[in-house]
Coordinates of all heavy atoms in Angstrom, one line a residue:
L126 N -8.8 1.2 -0.5 CA -9.0 -0.3 -0.9 C -10.4 -0.6 -1.1 O -10.8 -1.3 -2.0 CB -8.4 -1.2 0.2 CG -8.6 -2.7 0.1 CD1 -7.8 -3.2 -1.2 CD2 -8.0 -3.4 1.2
A127 N -11.3 -0.2 -0.2 CA -12.7 -0.4 -0.2 C -13.3 0.2 -1.5 O -14.1 -0.5 -2.2 CB -13.4 0.2 1.1
V128 N -12.9 1.4 -1.8 CA -13.5 2.1 -3.1 C -13.0 1.3 -4.3 O -13.7 1.1 -5.3 CB -13.0 3.5 -3.0 CG1 -13.5 4.2 -4.4 CG2 -13.7 4.3 -1.9
A129 N -11.7 0.9 -4.3 CA -11.1 0.1 -5.4 C -11.9 -1.2 -5.6 O -12.2 -1.6 -6.8 CB -9.7 -0.2 -5.1
A130 N -12.3 -1.8 -4.5 CA -13.1 -3.1 -4.6 C -14.5 -2.8 -5.2 O -14.9 -3.5 -6.0 CB -13.2 -3.7 -3.3
V131 N -15.1 -1.7 -4.7 CA -16.4 -1.3 -5.1 C -16.4 -1.0 -6.6 O -17.2 -1.4 -7.5 CB -17.1 -0.2 -4.4 CG1 -18.3 0.3 -5.0 CG2 -17.4 -0.5 -3.0
N132 N -15.3 -0.3 -7.1 CA -15.2 0.1 -8.5 C -14.6 -1.0 -9.3 O -14.5 -0.7 -10.5 CB -14.4 1.4 -8.5 CG -15.2 2.6 -8.0 OD1 -16.5 2.5 -7.9 ND2 -14.6 3.6 -7.7
G133 N -14.2 -2.0 -8.8 CA -13.7 -3.2 -9.6 C -12.4 -3.0 -10.2 O -12.2 -3.5 -11.4
C134 N -11.4 -2.4 -9.6 CA -10.1 -2.2 -10.2 C -9.2 -3.1 -9.5 O -8.6 -2.8 -8.4 CB -9.7 -0.7 -10.1 SG -8.0 -0.5 -10.9
G135 N -8.8 -4.2 -10.2 CA -7.8 -5.2 -9.6 C -6.5 -4.6 -9.4 O -5.8 -4.9 -8.4
M136 N -6.0 -3.7 -10.3 CA -4.7 -3.1 -10.2 C -4.7 -2.2 -8.8 O -3.7 -2.3 -8.1 CB -4.3 -2.3 -11.3 CG -3.0 -1.7 -11.5 SD -2.8 -0.8 -13.0 CE -1.4 -1.7 -13.7
C137 N -5.7 -1.5 -8.7 CA -5.8 -0.6 -7.4 C -6.0 -1.5 -6.2 O -5.3 -1.3 -5.1 CB -7.0 0.3 -7.6 SG -6.8 1.5 -8.9
V138 N -6.8 -2.5 -6.2 CA -7.0 -3.4 -5.0 C -5.7 -4.0 -4.7 O -5.2 -4.0 -3.5 CB -8.0 -4.6 -5.4 CG1 -7.9 -5.7 -4.4 CG2 -9.4 -3.9 -5.4
D139 N -4.9 -4.5 -5.7 CA -3.6 -5.1 -5.4 C -2.6 -4.1 -4.9 O -1.8 -4.3 -3.9 CB -3.1 -5.7 -6.8 CG -1.8 -6.6 -6.5 OD1 -1.9 -7.4 -5.6 OD2 -0.8 -6.3 -7.2
S140 N -2.6 -2.9 -5.4 CA -1.5 -1.9 -4.8 C -2.0 -1.5 -3.5 O -1.0 -1.4 -2.6 CB -1.7 -0.6 -5.8 OG -1.0 0.4 -5.4
H141 N -3.2 -1.3 -3.1 CA -3.5 -0.8 -1.8 C -3.4 -1.9 -0.7 O -3.0 -1.7 0.3 CB -4.9 -0.2 -1.8 CG -5.0 1.1 -2.4 ND1 -4.4 2.3 -1.8 CD2 -5.4 1.4 -3.7 CE1 -4.6 3.3 -2.8 NE2 -5.1 2.9 -3.8
E142 N -3.6 -3.2 -1.2 CA -3.4 -4.3 -0.3 C -2.0 -4.4 0.0 O -1.6 -4.6 1.2 CB -4.0 -5.6 -1.0 CG -4.0 -6.8 -0.1 CD -2.7 -7.6 -0.1 OE1 -1.8 -7.4 -1.0 OE2 -2.4 -8.4 0.8
K143 N -1.1 -4.3 -0.9 CA 0.4 -4.5 -0.7 C 0.9 -3.3 0.2 O 1.7 -3.6 1.1 CB 1.1 -4.4 -2.1 CG 1.1 -5.6 -2.9 CD 1.8 -5.6 -4.1 CE 1.7 -6.9 -4.8 NZ 2.2 -6.9 -6.3
T144 N 0.4 -2.1 0.0 CA 0.7 -0.9 0.9 C 0.3 -1.3 2.3 O 1.0 -1.0 3.3 CB 0.1 0.4 0.4 OG1 0.6 0.6 -1.0 CG2 0.4 1.5 1.3
L145 N -1.0 -1.8 2.5 CA -1.3 -2.1 3.9 C -0.6 -3.2 4.5 O -0.2 -3.1 5.7 CB -2.9 -2.5 3.8 CG -3.9 -1.3 3.6 CD1 -5.1 -1.8 3.1 CD2 -4.0 -0.4 4.9
R146 N -0.2 -4.2 3.7 CA 0.8 -5.3 4.3 C 2.1 -4.6 4.7 O 2.7 -5.1 5.7 CB 0.8 -6.4 3.2 CG -0.5 -7.1 2.9 CD -1.1 -7.8 4.1 NE -0.4 -9.1 4.3 CZ -0.9 -10.2 4.6 NH1 -2.2 -10.3 4.7 NH2 -0.2 -11.2 4.9
K147 N 2.6 -3.7 3.8 CA 3.8 -3.1 4.1 C 3.8 -2.3 5.4 O 4.8 -2.1 6.1 CB 4.3 -2.2 3.0 CG 4.9 -3.0 1.9 CD 5.3 -2.0 0.8 CE 5.6 -2.8 -0.5 NZ 5.8 -1.8 -1.7
H148 N 2.6 -1.8 5.7 CA 2.4 -1.1 6.9 C 2.1 -2.0 8.2 O 1.7 -1.4 9.3 CB 1.3 0.1 6.8 CG 1.7 1.3 6.2 ND1 1.8 1.4 4.8 CD2 2.3 2.5 6.6 CE1 2.4 2.6 4.5 NE2 2.6 3.2 5.6
G149 N 2.2 -3.2 8.0 CA 2.0 -4.2 9.1 C 0.6 -4.8 9.3 O 0.4 -5.5 10.2
L150 N -0.3 -4.5 8.4 CA -1.6 -5.2 8.7 C -1.6 -6.6 8.1 O -1.0 -6.9 7.2 CB -2.7 -4.3 7.8 CG -3.4 -3.3 8.7 CD1 -2.5 -2.1 8.9 CD2 -4.7 -2.8 8.0
S151 N -2.3 -7.4 9.0 CA -2.5 -8.8 8.5 C -3.6 -8.9 7.4 O -4.3 -7.9 7.2 CB -2.7 -9.6 9.7 OG -4.1 -9.4 10.2
A152 N -3.9 -10.1 7.1 CA -5.0 -10.3 6.1 C -6.4 -10.0 6.8 O -7.3 -9.7 6.1 CB -5.0 -11.8 5.6
Q153 N -6.5 -10.2 8.0 CA -7.8 -10.1 8.7 C -8.4 -8.7 8.6 O -9.5 -8.7 8.2 CB -7.7 -10.6 10.2 CG -9.1 -10.7 10.9 CD -9.9 -11.8 10.2 OE1 -9.7 -12.9 10.5 NE2 -10.9 -11.5 9.6
P154 N -7.7 -7.7 9.0 CA -8.4 -6.4 8.9 C -8.5 -6.0 7.4 O -9.6 -5.3 7.0 CB -7.4 -5.4 9.6 CG -6.1 -6.2 9.7 CD -6.4 -7.5 9.7
I155 N -7.7 -6.4 6.5 CA -7.9 -6.1 5.1 C -9.2 -6.8 4.6 O -10.0 -6.3 3.9 CB -6.6 -6.6 4.3 CG1 -5.5 -5.6 4.7 CG2 -6.9 -6.5 2.7 CD1 -4.1 -6.1 4.2
Q156 N -9.3 -8.1 4.9 CA -10.6 -8.8 4.7 C -11.8 -8.1 5.1 O -12.9 -8.0 4.6 CB -10.6 -10.2 5.0 CG -11.8 -11.0 4.7 CD -12.1 -12.2 5.4 OE1 -11.8 -12.2 6.7 NE2 -12.7 -13.2 4.8
S157 N -11.6 -7.6 6.4 CA -12.7 -6.9 7.1 C -13.1 -5.6 6.2 O -14.4 -5.4 6.1 CB -12.5 -6.5 8.5 OG -12.3 -7.7 9.4
A158 N -12.2 -5.0 5.7 CA -12.4 -3.7 5.0 C -13.3 -4.1 3.7 O -14.2 -3.4 3.3 CB -11.2 -3.0 4.6
I159 N -12.9 -5.2 3.1 CA -13.5 -5.6 1.8 C -14.9 -6.2 2.1 O -15.9 -5.9 1.4 CB -12.6 -6.8 1.1 CG1 -11.3 -6.1 0.7 CG2 -13.5 -7.3 0.0 CD1 -11.4 -5.0 -0.2
R160 N -15.1 -6.8 3.2 CA -16.5 -7.2 3.7 C -17.4 -6.0 3.9 O -18.6 -6.1 3.5 CB -16.3 -8.2 4.8 CG -15.6 -9.5 4.6 CD -15.6 -10.3 5.8 NE -16.8 -10.7 6.4 CZ -17.2 -10.3 7.6 NH1 -16.4 -9.6 8.5 NH2 -18.4 -10.7 8.1
I161 N -16.8 -5.0 4.5 CA -17.6 -3.8 4.7 C -18.0 -3.2 3.4 O -19.2 -2.8 3.1 CB -16.8 -2.8 5.6 CG1 -16.6 -3.3 7.0 CG2 -17.5 -1.4 5.5 CD1 -15.6 -2.5 7.8
A162 N -17.1 -3.1 2.5 CA -17.4 -2.5 1.2 C -18.4 -3.3 0.4 O -19.3 -2.8 -0.2 CB -16.0 -2.5 0.4
A163 N -18.2 -4.7 0.6 CA -19.2 -5.5 -0.2 C -20.6 -5.4 0.3 O -21.6 -5.3 -0.5 CB -18.7 -7.1 -0.1
V164 N -20.8 -5.3 1.6 CA -22.1 -5.2 2.3 C -22.7 -3.8 2.0 O -23.9 -3.7 1.6 CB -22.0 -5.5 3.8 CG1 -23.4 -5.2 4.5 CG2 -21.7 -7.0 3.9
I165 N -21.9 -2.7 2.2 CA -22.4 -1.4 1.9 C -22.8 -1.2 0.5 O -23.9 -0.7 0.2 CB -21.3 -0.4 2.3 CG1 -21.0 -0.3 3.8 CG2 -21.6 1.0 1.7 CD1 -22.2 0.3 4.6
H166 N -22.0 -1.8 -0.5 CA -22.5 -1.7 -1.9 C -23.7 -2.5 -2.1 O -24.6 -1.9 -2.7 CB -21.3 -2.2 -2.8 CG -21.7 -2.1 -4.3 ND1 -21.7 -1.0 -4.8 CD2 -22.0 -3.0 -5.1 CE1 -22.0 -1.1 -6.1 NE2 -22.2 -2.4 -6.3
A167 N -23.9 -3.7 -1.6 CA -25.0 -4.5 -1.7 C -26.2 -3.7 -1.2 O -27.4 -3.8 -1.8 CB -24.9 -5.9 -1.2
V168 N -26.1 -3.2 0.0 CA -27.2 -2.4 0.6 C -27.7 -1.3 -0.3 O -28.8 -1.0 -0.5 CB -26.8 -2.0 2.0 CG1 -27.8 -0.9 2.6 CG2 -26.7 -3.2 3.0
A169 N -26.7 -0.5 -0.8 CA -27.0 0.6 -1.6 C -27.7 0.1 -2.9 O -28.8 0.7 -3.2 CB -25.7 1.3 -2.1
V170 N -27.4 -1.0 -3.4 CA -28.1 -1.4 -4.7 C -29.5 -1.9 -4.3 O -30.4 -1.6 -4.9 CB -27.3 -2.6 -5.3 CG1 -28.2 -3.4 -6.3 CG2 -26.0 -2.2 -5.9
A171 N -29.7 -2.7 -3.2 CA -30.9 -3.1 -2.8 C -31.9 -2.0 -2.4 O -33.1 -2.0 -2.8 CB -30.8 -4.1 -1.6
L172 N -31.4 -1.0 -1.7 CA -32.2 0.2 -1.4 C -32.6 1.0 -2.6 O -33.8 1.4 -2.7 CB -31.5 1.1 -0.4 CG -31.4 0.5 1.0 CD1 -30.5 1.3 1.9 CD2 -32.8 0.4 1.7
E173 N -31.7 1.1 -3.5 CA -32.0 1.9 -4.7 C -33.1 1.1 -5.6 O -34.0 1.8 -6.1 CB -30.7 2.1 -5.5 CG -30.9 2.9 -6.8 CD -29.6 3.1 -7.6 OE1 -29.0 2.2 -7.8 OE2 -29.3 4.4 -7.7
Q174 N -32.9 -0.2 -5.7 CA -34.0 -0.9 -6.3 C -35.3 -0.9 -5.7 O -36.3 -0.9 -6.3 CB -33.5 -2.4 -6.6 CG -32.2 -2.5 -7.6 CD -32.5 -1.6 -8.9 OE1 -33.5 -2.0 -9.5 NE2 -31.7 -0.6 -9.2

Side-chain angles (χ1 to χ4, degrees):
L126 175 68
V128 175
V131 169
N132 289 344
C134 180
M136 188 179 234
C137 295
V138 166
D139 191 50
S140 174
H141 290 284
E142 187 274 342
K143 284 180 180 168
T144 299
L145 287 163
R146 296 297 282 224
K147 285 179 189 172
H148 279 86
L150 266 70
S151 68
Q153 189 65 72
I155 294 169
Q156 181 203 35
S157 291
I159 297 302
R160 290 176 64 243
I161 293 165
V164 171
I165 290 290
H166 182 68
V168 166
V170 169
L172 287 170
E173 184 175 54
Q174 291 309 303

